Amino acid sequence: MELSSINKNNIRETVLQAIKKAKALQPALNAVVTFVDVEEQLQKLEMMDPQLPLYGVPVVLKDNVNTKGILTTASSRMLSNYIPVYDAHIVEKLKDAGAIIIAKASMDELGMGGTNLSAYTGPVNNPYDTTRISGGSSGGSAVLTAAGVTPIAIGTDTGDSIRKPAAYNGVIGMKPTYGRISRYGIIPYASSLDHVGYFSTSIEDACVALSVLAGRDDRDMTSSYEAVPNYLQSLNSDMQGKRIAIIDNVQNAITDSKIKENFNTLIEQMKQRGAIVESVHLNEDLLSVILPTYYILANAEATANHSNLDGIRFGMREDGDSVEEVMIHSRTKGFSTNIRKRFVVGSYSLFVENQDKLFRKAQKVRRLLVDEVKHVLDTYDATIVSATGSIAPHPQDSIDEQLSSEYLIAENHMILGNFSGYPSMTIPSGFVDDMPVGINLMAKPFDEQTLFNLGKAIQEETGLKGKTVEVKL
Amino acid sequence: MKYETVIGIEIHCELKTKTKMFSGAPVTFGAPANSCVNEIDLGHPGILPCVNKEAVRLAVMAATALHCEIDPLVKFDRKNYYYSDLPKGFQITQQFHPIGTGGYVEIESEEGVKQIRLNRIHMEEDTAKQFHNEAGTLIDFNRAGTPLIEIVSEADMRSGKEAAAYVEKLRSILHYLGVSDVKMEEGSMRCDVNISLREVGTTAFGVKTEIKNLNSIANVQKAVEYEIQRQSELLDQGESIIQETRRFDEAKKATVSMRKKEGNVDYKYFPEPNILPIRLADDWIKEIQEHLPELPDARIQRYQSDYGLNDYDAGVLVNNRDLANFFDCVCEHTGEYKLAANWTIVELTAALNKANYKMDQNPCDPKHLADMINMMKAGEISSKQAKTVFEEIMLGKDPKTVVEEKGMKQMSDTTELLRMINEVLDQNPKSIEDFKNGKDRAIGFLVGQVMKASKGQANPAMTNQLIKEELSKR
């Protein structure tokens, strides 16, 4: 579904249709945690200007976006009863732009995962093949966009949590520059890596969404003062002279020949459009430690970020004989084993005796990796790689952690966008075995326009603008 | 055995800001429980901290006044631990890069002026306040997130007196700066004392105890002195000191054990990712430093050199900032500084005590007191009359009105005085004779007679002068 297909003369009907569709798909996809009552929003809309960029547009929020008075669980048992007392910054932005929030979407528990198998409400299924995973952690938002429920769905991205499910579900997944969109009111995973982003089915819609969501928020000190451009107005698919770098470590690590072929075809098309596409080689040793580096940094921050979830002031509470016992019991029962394991890893890397060899070392490696990327982007407009090394796997074949070199690089390279904070976007590039695949682009800080322009050219080549899938029920 | 006492002090001081360290919620002492909180103070999911610029400004003021080196790159860190008064499960503090390092405080010790070195001064946020009762524990989050500075001294103090002098001096400096209320009894200034003993002549530190909950400067001294006694008795008996946290029990006048310290807790400090380093502009820092309020030592100096006050008077005034400020106001309207100091220190303080007023309830207009002092000096009223006038000033009255209403004006009318003097001289020929024979004290007698005749209203100085003149004519 695209923004342009919204009938502004019959918003109520459009919104109710979207909800109806999501409800019909719920048994097959299991993408929604909470349906939002839209009556009040529809009433408020009557007072608003129909020219607003998202006037009457149904949108979905990942369930880690705080919505005042509406259940927000981050797909964790710990927050299964949590009703926020305030709206996230982007909720205000969306509502001010006329959007109607229709649902809160499933995710990996607290954003910590890449499969969406860990959600408290159960796995989310891929709309192209419901026996396959959606990917995560923004799985619910990705599949609802892919299934044509809403034109835009909000996600968050700490490792590749928007860009990987985007590839698996054949939609655009945009993670803008760190600081471009305020994180105020987003239940965090790892603050220095967390980004707010979104899914759409066309580059044009992606342009509109970023213009709405971006901008300085005084409640987020990391949010940028950089002016927000009108991306749609500047959209230009002319590739003449554009310098694009293929990170060959990533392409070399991929073994699936069909995915390679899909990528190579697209590269040829880009060259024919006049783009200068060249291979660059990054330090392989550094690239192969992206995952452990990420694992240490993300979990260290996460263990502190989630220390507020103690059962004392909100969320699930499990009784005990002392305050300490209440905390221990609540946290033991409230988090899944995998989350607790991650907290242990994060904590361990922060112990005073381990900080030098784990946490601080990981920070240094992060800096070195960012230097590698920066070096490439000093001379190129963007990098281009296959987003994933495979199509969406079946649950039993999906892994979150594996130490094969293929997995380490081919499945984790998009974390570079989180380490650096540089804008990164996944866009559908076609199909392999009837499942969608995507390519990933990364550009200089605050140069989202280049991503959109490249994306526009790719969209023209693939003909996948507005592509959604009819789920076989 | 002879022991040397080694004392280091950590002071937490609430900064006087309108809002909290990292949230926009108001900071109001004594507000109803949990009425000054927002989602940030409660540590709700998704909140982010935003540094309070005013708190940084106050911290820069404090660091400057305490002679610290200021780090213009402000960074914060997380201190991680679970406790019900810590909503986020971590405290945002400055572990790795304190706003101020080094510095010192000068105190008066038995050996003269002594410098107590500071280790650091850093910014952080306060925890919530807990109330334990039979029903359980109640938590008031109003205090959660209140801006604090922590001032850590080196272990430079050697006695209870020095410890008390250090806290007193620090309190006075912070009070004059206006960065904090520094009320120990209300907890806006809190003091943890680390104390250990070692054999005289040795340099290694002994096992220390930490004393908490000291709600007055007097108790700092008492607690330290008790602890010195307790520790030295233990050591004399060949026992060892247990590293623990103790609190001062006012009723028992003793320190009692609160909890043992089981090794050092690992707080897993790491840089706060939600606050990127903030570069303070050099101009901004300079602007703050150049406009520091006058500090206590400087004011004592000024009172001595500009107003000619002695050590004692200057000290008494400066010890009480509000009294000193009042005194400064009086001095704007009179040049009689010594008299102004006396009246402020003695009469005003006594009158306030009598009326059970605090300094901020003082009804006395400093200009009125100055006017009264000027009238005394000009001989318009006697010092005895002044006391009556002052009583009325304390009721808010203008001294000029009082003098007129009570008909107190001293007789300075020469014609009238001369008439009285000549009358007295006529009645006392013996005194005139005595004077002519060189007995000067006769004058005193005659002045007394005139005063009596005028019912105390004659201006004594003028009377004295006129009598001399009249006598020489006879």
Side-chain angles (χ1 to χ4, degrees):
Chain A
M1 190 193 220
E2 286 181 78
L3 285 177
S4 55
S5 70
I6 302 281
N7 179 0
K8 292 203 175 184
N9 297 318
N10 201 346
I11 293 302
R12 177 174 292 271
E13 184 57 24
T14 309
V15 169
L16 294 182
Q17 274 302 321
I19 294 171
K20 196 176 162 193
K21 188 166 188 181
K23 284 188 172 161
L25 291 171
Q26 184 66 358
L29 301 181
N30 193 33
V32 175
V33 178
T34 305
F35 284 96
V36 176
D37 183 7
V38 293
E39 264 322 306
E40 201 186 313
Q41 297 181 71
L42 287 171
Q43 275 169 25
K44 276 191 185 156
L45 199 67
E46 286 169 13
M47 320 287 287
M48 296 176 83
D49 178 4
Q51 296 306 310
L52 287 168
L54 299 181
Y55 182 82
V57 174
V59 297
V60 161
L61 305 176
K62 188 175 179 177
D63 207 25
N64 60 355
V65 180
N66 273 316
T67 40
K68 188 176 178 176
I70 298 163
L71 193 67
T72 301
T73 70
S75 287
S76 177
R77 182 178 193 177
M78 182 54 115
L79 291 171
S80 53
N81 63 355
Y82 178 62
I83 297 176
V85 295
Y86 72 107
D87 274 331
H89 176 76
I90 58 156
V91 172
E92 293 171 0
K93 282 261 184 190
L94 286 168
K95 286 186 171 171
D96 288 349
I100 306 285
I101 295 156
I102 65 159
K104 304 293 292 289
S106 174
M107 55 189 279
D108 274 299
E109 181 176 3
L110 298 169
M112 301 168 91
T115 60
N116 223 111
L117 296 171
S118 67
Y120 182 53
T121 49
V124 172
N125 303 321
N126 195 297
Y128 282 87
D129 175 352
T130 52
T131 67
R132 292 179 184 270
I133 68 167
S134 63
S137 64
S138 311
S141 295
V143 306
L144 289 167
T145 311
V149 173
T150 60
I152 287 161
I154 300 295
T156 60
D157 190 315
T158 306
D160 48 25
S161 283
I162 288 172
R163 293 160 293 155
K164 187 170 274 186
Y168 285 165
N169 297 284
V171 289
I172 291 166
M174 177 66 182
K175 178 207 82 67
T177 311
Y178 189 79
R180 185 67 295 189
I181 302 176
S182 165
R183 291 179 292 117
Y184 194 81
I186 307 297
I187 299 177
Y189 167 7
S191 311
S192 77
L193 301 163
D194 287 348
H195 293 67
V196 180
Y198 51 88
F199 301 92
S200 72
T201 62
S202 79
I203 285 293
E204 289 77 4
D205 291 359
C207 288
V208 173
L210 190 56
S211 290
V212 167
L213 294 166
R216 167 70 186 179
D217 171 18
D218 286 339
R219 292 172 299 178
D220 176 359
M221 287 192 83
T222 66
S223 90
S224 174
Y225 287 97
E226 186 93 13
V228 182
N230 184 332
Y231 301 103
L232 186 59
Q233 214 164 51
S234 308
L235 194 58
N236 179 356
S237 62
D238 181 8
M239 289 294 102
Q240 201 63 44
K242 294 283 176 236
R243 293 178 53 78
I244 305 170
I246 300 167
I247 301 175
D248 77 358
N249 314 61
V250 175
Q251 294 315 120
N252 294 343
I254 293 170
T255 52
D256 188 321
S257 60
K258 291 175 186 168
I259 286 185
K260 279 174 179 286
E261 196 188 312
N262 171 278
F263 179 79
N264 292 335
T265 307
L266 193 72
I267 293 302
E268 281 316 307
Q269 290 164 340
M270 288 297 108
K271 284 180 178 167
Q272 273 166 25
R273 283 175 163 252
I276 302 153
V277 189
E278 293 168 349
S279 279
V280 296
H281 189 77
L282 303 187
N283 183 324
E284 184 86 4
D285 290 342
L286 278 174
L287 287 195
S288 55
V289 294
I290 287 176
L291 182 65
T293 303
Y294 171 75
Y295 209 71
I296 288 167
L297 294 178
N299 290 326
E301 290 183 28
T303 184
N305 278 340
H306 293 134
S307 294
N308 62 337
L309 306 178
D310 55 13
I312 303 291
R313 282 149 290 120
F314 49 80
M316 200 203 79
R317 178 188 291 191
E318 193 72 5
D319 277 340
D321 289 336
S322 63
V323 171
E324 199 175 35
E325 266 194 11
V326 169
M327 288 181 178
I328 292 169
H329 293 169
S330 301
R331 288 175 67 85
T332 304
K333 205 162 177 183
F335 300 123
S336 68
T337 317
N338 184 45
I339 298 295
R340 280 182 275 134
K341 184 181 88 179
R342 283 167 175 257
F343 288 164
V344 171
V345 170
S347 239
Y348 183 79
S349 73
L350 287 173
F351 285 160
V352 112
E353 64 271 27
N354 299 338
Q355 278 217 8
D356 273 336
K357 58 181 192 244
L358 293 172
F359 183 71
R360 288 198 196 107
K361 185 181 268 181
Q363 283 184 314
K364 283 177 193 153
V365 173
R366 174 180 181 175
R367 169 52 52 198
L368 293 174
L369 279 161
V370 173
D371 287 346
E372 288 281 300
V373 175
K374 184 182 179 297
H375 185 68
V376 172
L377 287 171
D378 279 345
T379 47
Y380 292 92
D381 297 308
T383 63
I384 188 166
V385 283
S386 294
T388 60
S390 75
I391 58 170
H394 291 104
Q396 62 273 21
D397 302 325
S398 74
I399 20 98
D400 259 346
E401 295 142 35
Q402 182 185 295
L403 299 179
S404 73
S405 73
E406 182 190 355
Y407 179 77
L408 282 177
I409 294 176
E411 297 299 343
N412 290 293
H413 62 88
M414 286 193 288
I415 294 173
L416 290 172
N418 303 82
F419 281 167
S420 62
Y422 294 176
S424 174
M425 181 174 76
T426 294
I427 177 164
S429 58
F431 293 85
V432 166
D433 301 332
D434 298 329
M435 289 299 292
V437 291
I439 65 103
N440 179 259
L441 307 167
M442 181 162 54
K444 296 180 186 74
F446 299 102
D447 191 13
E448 282 82 2
Q449 190 70 56
T450 288
L451 294 185
F452 292 141
N453 291 349
L454 265 166
K456 171 83 172 158
I458 293 168
Q459 182 177 272
E460 286 167 4
E461 294 297 335
T462 62
L464 292 171
K465 179 173 186 281
K467 170 73 181 157
T468 56
V469 62
E470 204 65 43
V471 181
K472 293 186 194 104
L473 295 173
Chain B
M1 208 183 285
K2 286 278 279 177
Y3 300 109
E4 181 183 36
T5 309
V6 179
I7 301 165
I9 296 181
E10 288 161 24
I11 284 179
H12 286 86
C13 197
E14 287 182 354
L15 294 175
K16 222 167 150 179
T17 52
K18 290 198 177 72
T19 58
K20 295 191 177 177
M21 187 70 219
F22 301 110
S23 97
V27 175
T28 316
F29 183 81
N34 294 310
S35 63
C36 298
V37 291
N38 62 18
E39 68 266 18
I40 300 174
D41 310 315
L42 291 173
H44 269 242
I47 55 102
L48 296 171
C50 191
V51 178
N52 183 334
K53 190 174 177 183
E54 176 64 5
V56 178
R57 194 181 73 86
L58 298 181
V60 168
M61 284 175 73
T64 305
L66 300 174
H67 315 282
C68 299
E69 189 181 323
I70 289 171
D71 190 340
L73 196 61
V74 174
K75 296 179 181 177
F76 289 94
D77 306 293
R78 289 187 184 178
K79 178 183 184 177
N80 298 286
Y81 64 97
Y82 290 96
Y83 204 63
S84 43
D85 69 2
L86 188 70
K88 291 193 295 291
F90 58 82
Q91 179 193 35
I92 306 180
T93 178
Q94 292 192 295
Q95 175 67 10
F96 301 119
H97 302 275
I99 182 106
T101 46
Y104 61 87
V105 170
E106 277 181 348
I107 60 165
E108 295 289 336
S109 77
E110 274 158 9
E111 303 105 65
V113 175
K114 180 173 174 179
Q115 273 194 4
I116 307 299
R117 291 169 303 148
L118 300 182
N119 175 282
R120 55 151 60 202
I121 164 169
H122 68 248
M123 296 176 278
E124 60 187 29
E125 55 178 336
D126 210 345
T127 56
K129 207 169 181 176
Q130 302 206 101
F131 301 90
H132 305 283
N133 62 22
E134 289 115 31
T137 299
L138 302 173
I139 310 176
D140 178 4
F141 289 94
N142 282 357
R143 200 182 70 180
T146 299
L148 293 178
I149 44 173
E150 181 175 344
I151 302 163
V152 183
S153 84
E154 297 290 357
D156 280 355
M157 286 151 279
R158 295 290 174 267
S159 68
K161 250 188 187 160
E162 286 189 8
Y166 168 74
V167 178
E168 173 80 65
K169 188 60 178 288
L170 204 54
R171 205 180 75 93
S172 173
I173 291 171
L174 298 172
H175 193 47
Y176 268 81
L177 282 175
V179 300
S180 172
D181 280 338
V182 289
K183 289 181 181 160
M184 289 181 81
E185 67 283 7
E186 284 179 5
S188 58
M189 179 165 159
R190 302 192 285 273
C191 166
D192 302 334
V193 178
N194 288 290
I195 171 167
S196 64
L197 301 188
R198 65 184 170 199
E199 210 177 311
V200 168
T202 61
T203 51
F205 289 124
V207 176
K208 69 176 178 184
T209 58
E210 184 181 9
I211 313 171
K212 283 188 178 291
N213 292 2
L214 294 161
N215 62 3
S216 72
I217 287 166
N219 283 350
V220 170
Q221 185 168 343
K222 283 182 204 157
V224 168
E225 281 165 2
Y226 176 87
E227 193 59 17
I228 294 172
Q229 181 73 18
R230 189 187 73 86
Q231 290 192 13
S232 50
E233 279 172 12
L234 281 173
L235 291 171
D236 281 343
Q237 290 158 16
E239 290 183 43
S240 50
I241 308 296
I242 301 164
Q243 187 177 343
E244 62 183 349
T245 303
R246 301 175 70 85
R247 65 178 174 83
F248 185 65
D249 187 314
E250 259 195 300
K252 292 186 193 159
K253 300 211 181 320
T255 64
V256 292
S257 182
M258 274 172 86
R259 56 177 179 265
K260 304 263 177 293
K261 287 219 164 168
E262 290 161 12
N264 277 329
V265 184
D266 186 347
Y267 290 114
K268 297 176 287 178
Y269 290 101
F270 72 97
E272 167 58 63
N274 289 317
I275 303 172
L276 303 176
I278 302 164
R279 168 75 60 187
L280 302 181
D282 291 344
D283 289 352
W284 190 70
I285 296 176
K286 222 175 129 194
E287 172 78 16
I288 294 168
Q289 294 183 323
E290 283 171 359
H291 292 91
L292 279 195
E294 187 181 40
L295 293 173
D297 283 353
R299 194 171 296 196
I300 286 181
Q301 183 64 42
R302 176 163 64 85
Y303 285 174
Q304 291 177 342
S305 61
D306 293 8
Y307 294 165
L309 301 191
N310 60 29
D311 267 13
Y312 178 81
D313 284 353
V316 170
L317 283 170
V318 171
N319 213 15
N320 182 335
R321 187 190 65 169
D322 296 337
L323 201 65
N325 287 345
F326 177 85
F327 169 70
D328 274 341
C329 291
V330 176
C331 291
E332 280 173 23
H333 304 285
T334 179
E336 297 303 317
Y337 307 127
K338 178 67 190 164
L339 268 179
N342 280 344
W343 276 86
T344 304
I345 294 169
V346 183
E347 303 297 338
L348 177 69
T349 309
L352 288 173
N353 279 342
K354 199 175 157 196
N356 206 11
Y357 281 149
K358 291 210 171 87
M359 202 53 209
D360 58 3
Q361 299 164 296
N362 177 19
C364 175
D365 182 335
K367 184 168 185 307
H368 287 170
L369 180 56
D371 287 349
M372 190 200 84
I373 288 167
N374 290 337
M375 287 161 82
M376 278 172 69
K377 191 63 195 172
E380 292 169 27
I381 54 171
S382 68
S383 54
K384 200 177 152 201
Q385 286 172 325
K387 295 207 176 184
T388 315
V389 174
F390 185 68
E391 280 175 20
E392 301 287 319
I393 288 179
M394 286 303 285
L395 299 172
K397 283 197 178 167
D398 186 325
K400 289 184 180 115
T401 320
V402 177
V403 166
E404 264 172 39
E405 276 175 11
K406 301 218 174 213
M408 268 180 180
K409 233 173 159 97
Q410 281 194 56
M411 199 180 289
S412 304
D413 178 342
T414 324
T415 331
E416 178 63 11
L417 262 181
L418 276 177
R419 192 189 57 75
M420 274 188 175
I421 286 168
N422 281 311
E423 217 168 86
V424 167
L425 289 182
D426 291 348
Q427 286 162 11
N428 295 283
K430 176 86 173 67
S431 294
I432 300 172
E433 204 181 312
D434 285 353
F435 175 74
K436 300 272 183 199
N437 292 334
K439 287 183 182 167
D440 280 356
R441 66 187 161 85
I443 294 177
F445 172 77
L446 289 168
V447 170
Q449 292 304 304
V450 175
M451 293 307 284
K452 203 171 164 186
S454 71
K455 299 193 177 80
Q457 290 198 2
N459 181 330
M462 206 181 257
T463 306
N464 196 305
Q465 184 60 36
L466 288 174
I467 285 176
K468 278 185 193 163
E469 284 172 22
E470 287 307 305
L471 280 172
S472 62
K473 287 181 194 163
R474 295 204 180 206

